Amino acid sequence: MDARAIIASLRRGEQPSETELSWFAQGVASGEVSDAQAGAFAMAVCLQGLDQTGRRALTLAMRDSGDVLHWDLPGPVMDKHSTGGVGDCVSLLLAPALAECGVYVPMISGRGLGHTGGTLDKMEAIPGLSTQISEQRLHKITAEVGCAIVGATGRIAPADKRLYAIRDVTATVESLDLITASILSKKLAASPEALVMDVKIGSGAFMKTLEEARALARSLVETANAAGCKTTALITDMNQPIASALGNGLEVAEVMQALTAGEPCPLIEITAALSGVLLVQAGLAKDEGEGSRLIREALLSGRVASRFGRMVAAQGGPADFASHWTRYLPVAPVIHEVTAPRAGYVAAMDGEALGLAVVHLGGGRMVEGDQVDPAVGLSDLVRLGQWVEAGETLACVHAARESAALEAEAALLEALSLAETAPAELPLIHERIG
């Protein structure tokens, strides 16, 4: 086959065959397709688009460009994916909660992207814990603990790894077809029986409008189901962080507080809703309401904290993390309280600006290869609709230097809006698709 012919047909608006897309993905993975050809392909897809058949074919071709995992476990294997937000540490609760209810969760996750935090970066805030493990070790941990949160090896969807880097420098990241194939090629390589997609909407998400979120959710659901994986999407709110903290170590602390306090909070409610969908698919709940209740009960009972601790230990972290987590999480040398300049209701938050403030503190990457400081970030963040008096705490900045803390304070004050009237209450879950 000829890469040039495939690109030319795409440019004319013609749909490549499944055979052509499979060949092209293999060529991207092997290097037979050049960077220039991969970039031209991405641009042609971005401009002309793929139909549903082509989207499914590209997804499966990228999945099959590397290893596809296979499982022999005494229960269902399932997974979840989030499109990214701020203060989003749901995966750290969801994986052990599902495992506690009888579902196996080998979760292949990613690092921070832009203003959003990465699940792997959060996990690696725990001393000694490794997210880069072999497929053999992943199978062993999943079988023994019920869950693991790890990064993809170089053998998982290598076509996506190379194409993503090329998309990043060719202004083709926003293509719905390429986003869908990128997300699902990695997730389907883990061979889950069912998926739940957490599509974020709002100021802290990549998708700012309901229309954008619906389009992505439908694309993911339709493509995954066409590929043979039962998939549902929930469109969830990201107009404020889910947790009251942003930053890797600080979000792990929020997770542990949620798992040990025994009190409802937005983090638990969203985890229960997403997990409930999968319990129905697993045949472990008669409907999503019952599934959510079972997950909520497990989370509030403290049982999931113990399961999370077992996962941490199995991945190289402290054996007593679940009971002594405050000993192990990093602490920033500067903790700076930010106070309200006047009284008012917290009327709006610029979630993207908050996420970027954490990145500039060192809690994310400005360029690929940057080292991440797990101790920095924001904690004790106010919630939308909360009334604050002048001088009352809006958040605490955790920084490596006083100058960085002051810069983050200015960004935080710019990102928060105070008003004399309370804003309309937003739902945690906007829509269900699939």
Side-chain angles (χ1 to χ4, degrees):
M1 289 196 183
D2 185 347
R4 294 168 298 179
I6 295 172
I7 294 165
S9 68
L10 258 173
R11 193 182 65 233
R12 294 191 297 268
E14 300 167 6
Q15 293 292 315
S17 68
E18 292 188 31
T19 302
E20 288 173 325
L21 289 170
S22 178
W23 179 88
F24 199 93
Q26 290 292 340
V28 171
S30 69
E32 185 176 352
V33 171
S34 71
D35 283 357
Q37 289 169 330
F41 173 85
M43 185 62 72
V45 172
C46 192
L47 293 175
Q48 296 289 358
L50 296 173
D51 60 18
Q52 181 56 52
T53 299
R55 195 179 292 170
R56 170 188 172 276
L58 179 61
T59 298
L60 292 178
M62 288 168 60
R63 179 198 70 179
D64 295 339
S65 68
D67 290 351
V68 177
L69 305 183
H70 299 283
W71 303 98
D72 183 16
L73 296 167
V77 176
M78 298 186 171
D79 201 358
K80 162 258 184 191
H81 177 80
S82 168
T83 57
V86 290
D88 179 8
C89 38
V90 167
S91 291
L92 277 63
L93 286 84
L94 180 141
L98 282 168
E100 191 63 30
C101 293
V103 176
Y104 290 88
V105 189
M107 186 176 287
I108 297 177
S109 297
R111 301 196 179 277
L113 180 65
H115 67 279
T116 66
T119 298
L120 298 185
D121 298 321
K122 302 182 209 303
M123 292 291 290
E124 290 173 356
I126 301 171
L129 186 143
S130 175
T131 60
Q132 302 304 309
I133 63 177
S134 67
E135 291 178 20
Q136 182 180 10
R137 182 70 181 147
L138 173 60
H139 276 81
K140 181 176 174 59
I141 294 172
T142 303
E144 293 179 352
V145 180
C147 57
I149 299 177
V150 302
T153 69
R155 296 170 61 86
I156 296 290
D160 174 67
K161 184 175 182 180
R162 184 162 172 240
L163 187 59
Y164 188 92
I166 291 168
R167 287 167 56 211
D168 195 34
V169 297
T170 56
T172 55
V173 170
E174 70 272 17
S175 163
L176 198 64
D177 302 310
L178 297 177
I179 290 171
T180 299
S182 178
I183 289 172
L184 291 178
S185 63
K186 296 188 289 287
K187 283 297 177 183
L188 296 181
S191 298
E193 296 170 36
L195 274 171
V196 64
M197 310 303 295
D198 183 2
V199 178
K200 301 294 186 188
I201 176 180
S203 68
F206 288 110
M207 303 296 171
K208 307 298 185 187
T209 69
L210 190 55
E211 182 180 1
E212 291 174 324
R214 279 182 187 138
L216 178 56
R218 286 171 180 156
S219 178
L220 290 166
V221 167
E222 290 170 3
T223 304
N225 278 296
C229 181
K230 293 178 288 187
T231 301
T232 302
L234 298 185
I235 298 177
T236 66
D237 192 70
M238 187 44 69
N239 285 294
Q240 63 179 329
I242 300 173
S244 295
L246 289 78
N248 298 306
L250 296 169
E251 289 184 49
V252 175
E254 287 279 312
V255 166
M256 298 313 298
Q257 288 168 358
L259 292 179
T260 56
E263 297 176 0
C265 62
L267 198 51
I268 283 179
E269 291 308 306
I270 287 185
T271 301
L274 291 164
S275 302
V277 172
L278 292 179
L279 287 189
V280 174
Q281 296 286 13
L284 299 172
K286 67 177 184 294
D287 55 40
E288 292 176 15
E290 182 186 46
S292 295
R293 179 180 59 77
L294 291 171
I295 293 291
R296 193 178 296 108
E297 289 174 355
L299 289 165
L300 296 176
S301 71
R303 302 196 313 271
V304 178
S306 176
R307 178 84 60 165
F308 183 82
R310 290 171 55 198
M311 178 177 68
V312 166
Q315 293 186 222
D320 59 348
F321 185 79
S323 53
H324 296 101
W325 55 272
T326 55
R327 292 182 188 173
Y328 295 108
L329 293 176
V331 178
V334 176
I335 300 177
H336 178 77
E337 184 181 10
V338 181
T339 58
R342 61 183 179 85
Y345 288 100
V346 180
M349 291 187 188
D350 184 339
E352 185 170 347
L354 292 175
L356 289 173
V358 174
V359 171
H360 285 287
L361 282 167
R365 295 173 184 82
M366 299 292 289
V367 296
E368 188 176 358
D370 277 355
Q371 291 295 309
V372 171
D373 185 342
V376 303
L378 307 174
S379 71
D380 306 290
L381 185 67
V382 290
R383 306 295 295 174
L384 284 177
Q386 181 177 335
W387 173 265
V388 293
E389 297 289 350
E392 192 173 343
T393 301
L394 294 174
C396 290
V397 175
H398 299 246
R401 304 176 309 280
E402 186 67 35
S403 60
L406 293 176
E407 289 176 8
E409 176 181 18
L412 174 67
L413 291 172
E414 183 71 21
L416 298 183
S417 299
L418 300 178
E420 294 181 0
T421 57
E425 186 175 351
L426 295 170
L428 285 174
I429 298 167
H430 290 268
E431 287 186 10
R432 178 192 189 281
I433 292 180

